[in-house]
Amino acid sequence: MFQLDILSSVPIYEQLIRKIKENIMKEYLKPGDHLPSVRKMARDLNVTPNTVQKAYSILEQERVIVTVRGKGAFVADKKPEVDYSQKIAELSRQLKPLVMELLYSGMNRTDILGLVEEFCEEIREGQR
């Protein structure tokens, strides 16, 4: 279901969160879809159940998924309301070092913006 990069500097639980959100955005996962149990997801991804539980807990706090006791985790019916100012600040902290690395490696502003546009187009295409 998901490919994770165990060599990445991004923690596994964060990769899992991103992959679930990406699959929801691309509509591979739809509202009401049942997610695998923590144990099954952990077994499938070859990670500890605590890693999956942490990802599921954060997704539940963000209202991306809902957990029904005895039934499991499901994709939430509607997109959560987001505090965009807080989200932008958080993402800016993550994006700034990446942009710095791209600039350091020789890319210019136009190239970086073009790359971002390509990513946006890829994501839009995935939604169709």
Side-chain angles (χ1 to χ4, degrees):
M1 185 176 205
F2 305 109
Q3 288 283 64
L4 302 177
D5 181 2
I6 60 169
L7 300 177
S8 172
S9 63
V10 177
I12 298 294
Y13 76 92
E14 286 184 20
Q15 291 182 51
L16 182 55
I17 290 168
R18 290 177 186 175
K19 292 292 186 180
I20 290 172
K21 287 179 176 180
E22 179 182 338
N23 280 296
I24 291 169
M25 189 186 65
K26 290 182 176 181
E27 296 183 349
Y28 299 146
L29 289 172
K30 296 183 181 2
D33 281 356
H34 188 265
L35 294 174
S37 71
V38 169
R39 285 191 178 133
K40 179 168 179 14
M41 180 76 80
R43 191 172 44 251
D44 291 349
L45 296 175
N46 199 27
V47 299
T48 68
N50 287 345
T51 300
V52 176
Q53 183 59 52
K54 184 170 186 175
Y56 278 18
S57 293
I58 291 170
L59 288 167
E60 189 168 24
Q61 289 171 359
E62 293 179 354
R63 296 188 175 117
V64 174
I65 66 171
V66 292
T67 302
V68 179
R69 189 174 180 108
K71 302 265 187 203
F74 299 85
V75 176
D77 286 336
K78 65 177 187 167
K79 289 186 178 179
E81 295 177 19
V82 176
D83 177 357
Y84 286 105
S85 61
Q86 183 179 6
K87 193 68 171 174
I88 288 171
E90 175 188 331
L91 293 174
S92 293
R93 282 190 298 277
Q94 294 174 24
L95 185 59
K96 190 174 183 177
L98 298 174
V99 171
M100 185 182 71
E101 186 66 30
L102 291 171
L103 290 168
Y104 181 76
S105 68
M107 290 184 77
N108 63 36
R109 182 179 187 270
T110 304
D111 293 337
I112 294 169
L113 292 173
L115 188 62
V116 170
E117 287 178 5
E118 284 179 35
F119 293 153
C120 289
E121 191 58 34
E122 279 180 31
I123 292 167
R124 273 191 229 110
E125 288 297 317
Q127 290 180 321
R128 292 182 188 157

